[in-house]
Amino acid sequence: MPTRHRLCSVNDVPLGQGRECVVGDRIVAVFNVDGRFYALDGICPHAGGPLAKGELHGCVVTCPWHGWQFEVSSGQHQLNPRIRQTAFPLVIENGDVFVDLP
Ligand code: FES
């Protein structure tokens, strides 16, 4: 049963950027794409890089460590169709960002 967690305020994630949020023992990367918010597992599946600290161009984030790229709404790797980073459903309520985690 998923549990809802508050990650941050929408004002904490500037347009075109990501923010790293810690929820228990997880790191969740929240991205603001033109005012739409998305959340991915924040740990890159390649070698553990911090996805929230990567460059965001449109809907694609580039891991700052070795450049793997993911579509932030789906988690789909941009070159390898077999790699999909976990994407979490987000809810915005009263200016706060919440995520439902399993
Ligand atoms: S750790 Fe992300 S591309 Fe290597």
Side-chain angles (χ1 to χ4, degrees):
M1 178 97 181
T3 307
R4 185 159 291 180
H5 301 269
R6 181 187 179 278
L7 295 177
C8 58
S9 163
V10 294
N11 297 324
D12 294 330
V13 193
L15 277 174
Q17 295 186 32
R19 178 187 164 106
E20 197 166 79
C21 300
V22 177
V23 181
D25 60 357
R26 294 176 189 253
I27 294 177
V28 178
V30 181
F31 300 97
N32 180 347
V33 179
D34 296 328
R36 295 185 311 280
F37 291 82
Y38 301 99
L40 294 179
D41 183 327
I43 303 297
C44 180
H46 177 222
L51 289 181
K53 296 180 179 170
E55 289 282 327
L56 184 62
H57 294 286
C59 281
V60 175
V61 65
T62 301
C63 179
W65 283 9
H66 314 100
W68 282 22
Q69 294 184 309
F70 301 89
E71 210 282 339
V72 297
S73 66
S74 65
Q76 182 62 58
H77 190 282
Q78 294 299 282
L79 295 178
N80 188 335
R82 292 175 297 167
I83 300 174
R84 183 184 287 259
Q85 185 73 337
T86 301
F88 301 113
L90 276 187
V91 176
I92 308 290
E93 285 180 357
N94 300 319
D96 288 326
V97 181
F98 295 87
V99 70
D100 291 329
L101 296 177

